[in-house]
Amino acid sequence: MSPHDLDRRDFLKASAMVAATAVASGVLADPHAAFAQGGGGPRWQKAPCRFCGTGCHVQVGVENGRVVGIAGDQEAEVNKGLLCVKGYHVGGILYGEDRLRQPLLRRGDAMVPISWDEAIDTIARRVLSAPDRFAFYGSGQWTIPEGYAAQKFMKGGLGNNNIDPNARLCMASAVTGFLATYGVDEPAGCYDDLDACDVLITWGNNPAEMHPVLFSRVIDRRSRGDQITLIDISTRRTRTTDHAQDFLEMKPHGDLAIALGIAHLLIENETYDHDFVEKYCAFRAQGEKPDLLGEAISFDQYVQFLSPYTPERVAELSGVPAAKIRMLADLFARRDARITSLWCMGMNQHTMGTAINCLVHGVHLLSGHFGRPGDAPTSLTGQPSACGTVREVGTLAHALPGGRVVANDEHRKQAEGFWNLPEGRINAKPGHHTVSMWDQFCTEGGAIDTIWVQVTNPGQTLPNLNALFERKATLRDKFLIVSEVYPTATTELADLILPAALWVEKNGIYGNSERRTQQWFKMVSPPGQARDDCWMTIAVAHRLMELGHPGMKDKDGRFLFDIKDEQGRSVPVWEWSHYYDVNVDRALFEEYRQFTRMKHKDLAPYEEYVEARGLRWPVIQQADGSWRETRFRFAGFDDPYVAAGKDIQFYHSTSKDDRAQIWFWEYEPPKEVVDGEFPFWLSTGRVLEHWHTGTMTRRVPQLARAMPEAYVELNPEDAKQLGIRNGDAVIVESRRGQVELPAWINGRGRPPRGSVFVPFFDESKLINKVTLEAHDPFSKQPDYKKCAVRLRKATGTLP
């Protein structure tokens, strides 16, 4: 069977090896059948999947206080009842044998059990001793209320902006690209574009394995006879390549040259969309002081800047033949085709991540492939709430909720007003971004002494781990607090470990990659003494208030997290016994909602999300009292904020004239390049079976068996030259560190000569000891896709 003949379900079965099976106990051979059952048996409730940013909805079957079944939610628009292999096994993440069950404090070389009261007091006193030297490190796995609580605690309570998420490592360049182009973050289109596009271009990503449910939409359309052209632009062949009509194998950083080359040809051939550009676009380039505003340039200047990027020069820079550059330009020149571009880490984990994001947006704007279903430049995210929590709540060192920033006087006053704080409470100076935060923490005398980590594993995910994490082991004055579910590479160096509730062991709200906000309720209890991350934050805030920190009260003397019941009485939610006396998520979400109206990211009331399978913002109340979501932003046919009579309106335009910015950026090579000493390019990433660092998925036996360990993927000719065979132990070494891995030749991915790939899910083989911390100057996102390494066959054998 040809890959093009696969339908959606066959694709998922073939690529994900899935069947509709129960997760924890196998009691339901067909989970969907349970929906028709009456009487006893599991109780089924909705929740978004715990893994990636796709935001698939699942039905969770609970019986006797335990998750016993998982099914794809047939009422969910995102996944229409389908799941990937991880999704079908998501319930199993709760039941690893080594769940953390009680607080642990380091005393000497031992971690000893302590009470929650002692744990909370320990954190509060550590913070109180030096509030400005404390940092909070979270993630795109924080729920919206968890992230909002951490944000308010840090910026509204401590007046400290040292809060940043692991999403700085995965999608920050997408943010800066959207801001520089449209003046506001997040995609204008949605997943519906995959149902309407004629051409799908994947820019350095592998959705067949990383976002398989979304990719299956395209496979499903092909099985029904739709003609969809798929073009895969990448540095290595993947399972996505197998479904593509064209594979454009590029050199590292070649995407910059390709985008510039397409724009050059659209101009040279007079095939750009004159009417769209004249009505809706302006032109921008960097000036003497680089920033996201840049300087206005004329169309003629833009043409002049592009003139060197001929197909022949682009071929030299990118490695893609000139004829293929012309092919891409010809596609974008077509008015009868609808083109969707997808990207993820390949464009974001890039020392010119902001630039390539802007350039791809620019190609769509220049060609007019924008604002219609199927015509969209769309970034995907890797975490379930990187958009909803990090980007919208603004849990970044420079940001405030609702698209506000700490450096803006008006924005600080708005936040102080919403939070009822005295004027001047919020600090105007941005805090340390992720790389800087961990560098300061791992430096003797650095500006950060204490870091509290929630829902992430920096001991495995930070680049250049030897410098940015493992140096902590030698520094006696540093204190690391980790809220976690399982032992990880991060808890190895923790001074205080707090056992955390996971997924449906607590209430939650996520926001996925298409602006869809999704809610769920607690369904089962966490094991032992594990508790909600949000409660931990509130409890520490209250203990700080008891110890006299003035920032834990608002200007009227009330506790910063004064949450009331339906009768208007304050509930002591900082006491675990009372935390679920009231819905804390609802209270924090309703408080946060007022921020969302500041940049037209309006959210509906909490109860609307209880009833829905998510709603895409802006969500606007209609005359009849109902709430309407928005699929296509800036488009007059769908976006309620576009002025009447306008087809397109970029109402947050940085040029203040309702125009999007088409940027020019000069091509630059990677920060580190291969040479005679380190002759191989290294790229890192994920695999189908595991999610991020494998903390959850490696506890699921089916997933662990399917992909038990990490590997180094080599080109067969390189392997032959080095005398390496499948399974041989290979040392991958950079200027920063080394790791030993088994070789995989002719596996799922096929790198070109001079290139290797290593996934990062395996904590026993930390590839991030090798990677480079060089980062984009605007987004501060590191480049995990390009560094120079050398290989040698290990003398021993792997266990």
Side-chain angles (χ1 to χ4, degrees):
M1 180 186 296
S2 164
H4 295 180
D5 295 330
L6 294 174
D7 67 16
R8 192 180 187 200
R9 293 181 185 275
D10 287 339
F11 165 77
L12 282 171
K13 289 176 182 177
S15 65
M17 302 173 290
V18 301
T21 57
V23 172
S25 63
V27 295
L28 296 172
D30 182 4
H32 293 297
F35 301 142
Q37 294 174 0
R43 181 189 179 196
W44 294 88
Q45 297 181 69
K46 73 176 177 75
C49 179
R50 178 57 180 79
F51 297 125
C52 78
T54 299
C56 295
H57 259 90
V58 301
Q59 285 285 325
V60 182
V62 175
E63 190 170 27
N64 298 322
R66 185 179 175 91
V67 172
V68 296
I70 294 292
D73 192 331
Q74 295 174 331
E75 295 183 25
E77 291 183 41
V78 171
N79 54 307
K80 299 177 174 63
L82 297 177
L83 296 171
C84 75
V85 65
K86 293 185 293 295
Y88 280 116
H89 291 90
V90 66
I93 67 175
L94 304 175
Y95 301 117
E97 294 180 357
D98 55 344
R99 277 292 297 264
L100 296 169
R101 288 173 165 80
Q102 58 187 348
L104 301 169
L105 179 66
R106 186 175 298 280
R107 288 182 176 145
D109 294 329
M111 299 298 293
V112 300
I114 61 171
S115 69
W116 268 108
D117 286 346
E118 183 177 354
I120 296 301
D121 184 69
T122 298
I123 299 171
R125 291 183 184 278
R126 182 80 190 187
V127 174
L128 191 63
S129 68
D132 60 331
R133 301 179 70 82
F134 171 73
F136 214 147
Y137 189 64
S139 83
Q141 299 162 66
W142 260 335
T143 67
I144 288 174
E146 286 168 352
Y148 182 74
Q151 176 84 307
K152 187 177 183 182
F153 168 66
M154 291 293 288
K155 291 171 182 167
L158 295 180
N160 174 345
N161 295 330
N162 292 323
I163 176 173
D164 218 47
N166 71 354
R168 178 76 72 176
L169 309 176
C170 65
M171 57 82 224
S173 294
V175 175
T176 49
F178 280 111
L179 290 172
T181 302
Y182 309 107
V184 64
D185 185 26
E186 297 199 44
C190 61
Y191 298 161
D192 296 18
D193 290 309
L194 298 172
D195 302 328
C197 65
D198 303 301
V199 179
L200 178 64
I201 304 176
T202 57
W203 293 78
N205 62 322
N206 177 20
E209 293 184 273
M210 302 306 106
H211 296 88
V213 171
L214 293 182
F215 193 69
S216 72
R217 290 190 179 204
V218 178
I219 302 303
D220 189 39
R221 289 180 59 202
R222 280 181 169 174
S223 74
R224 299 196 304 267
D226 288 2
Q227 299 299 311
I228 305 163
T229 299
L230 174 58
I231 300 170
D232 182 28
I233 305 173
S234 184
T235 56
R236 68 190 252 272
R237 289 179 174 271
T238 66
R239 286 184 169 179
T240 299
T241 315
D242 295 340
H243 296 270
Q245 283 93 338
D246 273 295
F247 171 59
L248 309 186
E249 186 179 283
M250 67 175 184
K251 299 176 183 178
H253 268 213
D255 46 6
L256 295 160
I258 293 167
L260 288 164
I262 296 169
H264 168 86
L265 286 171
L266 289 170
I267 298 292
E268 183 180 78
N269 298 336
E270 287 284 328
T271 51
Y272 70 94
D273 191 327
H274 294 66
D275 184 63
F276 189 94
V277 170
E278 183 177 338
K279 288 180 179 178
Y280 308 124
C281 301
F283 294 89
R284 222 73 175 175
Q286 284 299 331
E288 292 184 7
K289 184 181 179 182
D291 58 27
L292 294 182
L293 292 176
E295 292 184 357
I297 58 173
S298 68
F299 176 75
D300 289 342
Q301 287 175 298
Y302 178 69
V303 172
Q304 180 183 355
F305 292 156
L306 283 175
S307 61
Y309 291 96
T310 64
E312 290 69 29
R313 183 176 182 228
V314 169
E316 292 177 10
L317 295 172
S318 69
V320 174
K324 295 296 185 180
I325 305 301
R326 292 188 176 93
M327 177 271 292
L328 288 172
D330 290 343
L331 276 175
F332 275 100
R334 288 177 53 184
R335 299 290 172 266
D336 62 331
R338 300 201 178 191
I339 302 176
T340 291
S341 289
L342 287 184
W343 66 90
C344 199
M345 298 305 103
M347 276 175 44
N348 294 341
Q349 291 176 338
H350 197 305
T351 53
M352 292 194 72
T354 301
I356 184 55
N357 272 263
C358 288
L359 288 171
V360 173
H361 287 298
V363 167
H364 275 264
L365 294 167
L366 190 65
S367 62
H369 285 286
F370 187 96
R372 302 181 302 173
D375 268 335
T378 299
S379 72
L380 298 176
T381 50
Q383 296 186 86
S385 202
C387 289
T389 303
V390 173
R391 296 162 78 162
E392 294 159 30
V393 176
T395 57
L396 295 146
H398 67 282
L400 289 164
R404 314 285 86 184
V405 294
V406 299
N408 184 294
D409 293 347
E410 181 182 354
H411 293 182
R412 293 196 307 279
K413 289 178 182 178
Q414 289 167 347
E416 288 165 350
F418 288 143
W419 287 337
N420 194 37
L421 302 177
E423 186 173 343
R425 171 75 64 78
I426 297 174
N427 192 334
K429 182 180 178 182
H432 290 280
H433 61 82
T434 293
V435 172
S436 176
M437 176 188 293
W438 287 96
D439 178 61
Q440 291 298 310
F441 182 67
C442 289
T443 299
E444 189 78 47
I448 305 294
D449 288 343
T450 303
I451 294 184
W452 187 358
V453 175
Q454 286 188 348
V455 288
T456 187
N457 185 11
Q460 192 166 339
T461 58
L462 287 167
N464 193 4
L465 282 170
N466 289 323
L468 294 182
F469 185 76
E470 298 197 357
R471 273 195 320 212
K472 188 269 177 190
T474 67
L475 303 174
R476 311 313 300 175
D477 62 330
K478 306 292 184 172
F479 195 83
L480 179 60
I481 306 156
V482 182
S483 302
E484 249 302 352
V485 178
Y486 292 106
T488 66
T490 306
T491 62
E492 282 290 312
L493 295 187
D495 299 286
L496 176 62
I497 299 173
L498 308 175
L502 174 62
W503 192 40
V504 294
E505 295 170 349
K506 58 187 178 183
N507 292 336
I509 310 170
Y510 281 156
N512 80 344
S513 292
E514 62 165 351
R515 298 175 281 109
R516 185 184 294 273
T517 309
Q518 305 161 295
Q519 179 273 348
W520 76 94
F521 286 121
K522 177 179 178 177
M523 302 178 201
V524 296
S525 296
Q529 299 177 45
R531 298 181 181 180
D532 297 23
D533 292 288
C534 192
W535 172 81
M536 299 179 204
T537 302
I538 293 171
V540 169
H542 193 267
R543 182 60 182 141
L544 277 166
M545 186 181 75
E546 292 175 336
L547 293 172
H549 192 291
M552 296 303 121
K553 295 180 180 179
D554 67 14
K555 66 182 181 182
D556 295 326
R558 293 189 297 263
F559 177 44
L560 207 60
F561 296 98
D562 181 29
I563 293 175
K564 293 180 168 55
D565 61 18
E566 292 182 359
Q567 288 72 45
R569 298 171 301 198
S570 294
V571 179
V573 294
W574 57 89
E575 297 176 5
W576 179 242
S577 60
H578 291 288
Y579 185 70
Y580 275 95
D581 288 356
V582 64
N583 189 334
V584 174
D585 267 27
R586 182 187 184 280
L588 293 175
F589 183 80
E590 290 299 332
E591 181 181 303
Y592 161 61
R593 276 184 66 217
Q594 59 194 333
F595 283 94
T596 68
R597 304 183 189 103
M598 307 305 292
K599 292 198 82 168
H600 305 98
K601 300 183 179 184
D602 310 48
L603 297 179
Y606 181 84
E607 285 75 13
E608 296 297 317
Y609 298 98
V610 173
E611 299 300 322
R613 299 305 197 268
L615 295 169
R616 290 168 283 198
W617 58 258
V619 188
I620 305 299
Q621 191 169 28
Q622 307 299 292
D624 64 359
S626 64
W627 293 83
R628 177 188 178 276
E629 67 173 359
T630 302
R631 295 182 304 152
F632 300 98
R633 294 167 77 200
F634 312 129
F637 72 88
D638 195 49
D639 188 337
Y641 284 115
V642 172
K646 292 193 174 184
D647 293 329
I648 298 286
Q649 184 183 13
F650 297 108
Y651 42 75
H652 284 295
S653 166
T654 57
S655 49
K656 311 298 183 186
D657 55 3
D658 290 341
R659 293 175 180 269
Q661 310 304 309
I662 297 177
W663 279 80
F664 172 80
W665 299 78
E666 196 74 68
Y667 170 87
E668 293 180 14
K671 294 298 182 184
E672 183 174 85
V673 298
V674 295
D675 55 25
E677 187 178 5
F678 295 92
F680 287 89
W681 289 105
L682 167 68
S683 178
T684 68
R686 292 197 284 127
V687 296
L688 173 69
E689 294 83 0
H690 292 294
W691 191 73
H692 284 209
T693 62
T695 302
M696 295 177 288
T697 52
R698 294 188 80 203
R699 265 78 182 186
V700 178
Q702 298 91 330
L703 299 177
R705 287 195 299 268
M707 183 59 69
E709 64 180 344
Y711 52 86
V712 56
E713 199 175 79
L714 288 88
N715 179 277
E717 292 302 314
D718 288 332
K720 182 178 179 181
Q721 185 174 339
L722 293 168
I724 293 170
R725 297 182 179 183
N726 261 324
D728 283 350
V730 177
I731 294 173
V732 180
E733 183 180 12
S734 73
R735 292 175 173 86
R736 292 155 295 282
Q738 67 179 43
V739 63
E740 185 173 313
L741 298 138
W744 196 7
I745 304 161
N746 291 324
R748 293 178 184 173
R750 297 171 295 286
R753 292 212 66 176
S755 176
V756 298
F757 170 84
V758 178
F760 68 91
F761 71 87
D762 188 345
E763 71 178 5
S764 70
K765 298 173 177 60
L766 294 175
I767 189 58
N768 281 321
K769 291 183 177 182
V770 176
T771 53
L772 182 69
E773 73 270 36
H775 51 272
D776 179 275
F778 304 100
S779 69
K780 315 302 183 188
Q781 181 168 353
D783 191 335
Y784 291 86
K785 304 300 183 184
K786 296 173 283 293
C787 75
V789 299
R790 58 191 176 200
L791 310 177
R792 69 179 186 274
K793 188 175 178 179
T795 53
T797 57
L798 286 166

